[in-house]
Structure formats: C-alpha cells, structure tokens
C-alpha cells in the first residue's frame, strides 16, 4: 500500500461546474482541507458536490458564503473520497474564487 500527499487546485474563471479532484482507480483519498480564497474584493458563494461512481450527485456545501478578500476553510473533519468519485466546485460569479484541496491518496 502506498501513500501520496497531493493538492488539487482550480481558479474558478467561469460559473460552470468545475472538477476539482477525481479519485484514481484502486485508490481512496482522505481530503484534509478545502480552502476557498476570494481575491476580487467582493463577497461570493461556492457550491461543492461529490459525484459517486454511479453518477449520483451529493451536495457538500450549497451556496456557502465566502467573504471579500478572505480565505475560508470548508472542512471541519476529513472527507473520504473513494475510487472514481469526483469533487466538483461551482462559483456564483466568475473570476473571484480559487480553491485548493489538500489530500492523501492511499492505494
């Protein structure tokens, strides 16, 4: 069994659903942190979902507020992401939010 520390980063330049992280085959990921940074000086909101291997979508954060020029930690406990599951993020407004997830992949 091998462990690999990783981060996944995305600049939300549009208001479309954007993949932040896809868990590889034969792997489980432990997501320790999801940071959202607002850099335009305007408060905004973000939606975070997880899509399972059967394409079912589950909401983790629905229109979570992020203050102007602030960074928000979304997780208060680790999040387990299983093989083929996808973390997706959506900004309410384009070009305001950056998202960084810190995780450990176990395969």
């Amino acid at each position: 069994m091998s462990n690999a520390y990783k981060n996944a980063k995305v600049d939300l330049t549009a208001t479309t659903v954007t993949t932040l992280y896809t868990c590889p085959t034969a792997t489980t990921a432990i997501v320790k942190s999801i940071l959202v940074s607002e850099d335009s000086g305007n408060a905004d909101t973000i939606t975070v979902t997880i899509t399972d291997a059967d394409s079912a979508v589950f909401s983790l954060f629905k229109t979570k507020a992020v203050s102007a020029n602030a960074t928000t930690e979304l997780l208060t406990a680790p999040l387990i992401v299983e093989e083929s599951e996808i973390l997706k993020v959506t900004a309410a407004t384009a070009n305001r939010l950056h998202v960084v997830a810190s995780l450990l992949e176990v395969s």
Side-chain angles (χ1 to χ4, degrees):
M1 191 160 22
S2 68
N3 296 333
Y5 290 97
K6 301 216 172 173
N7 64 43
K9 303 173 282 292
V10 66
D11 181 0
L12 296 176
T13 58
T15 59
T16 54
V17 176
T18 303
T19 296
L20 174 62
Y21 174 75
T22 302
C23 192
T25 302
T27 302
T28 298
I30 303 166
V31 182
K32 177 66 176 160
S33 171
I34 300 176
L35 293 171
V36 182
S37 175
E38 194 293 318
D39 68 351
S40 73
N42 299 285
D44 208 346
T45 62
I46 188 165
T47 296
V48 182
T49 62
I50 187 166
T51 304
D52 70 11
D54 296 324
S55 298
V57 178
F58 300 89
S59 180
L60 300 176
F61 296 93
K62 184 71 172 171
T63 59
K64 172 74 173 168
V66 180
S67 300
N69 295 316
T71 299
T72 301
E73 171 59 65
L74 297 182
L75 297 182
T76 57
L79 173 69
I80 305 302
V81 181
E82 296 179 333
E83 175 181 350
S84 301
E85 291 185 331
I86 307 166
L87 282 174
K88 297 179 182 180
V89 291
T90 309
T93 309
N95 296 312
R96 289 187 180 176
L97 300 177
H98 296 108
V99 184
V100 178
S102 299
L103 55 103
L104 172 64
E105 287 183 346
V106 180
S107 57

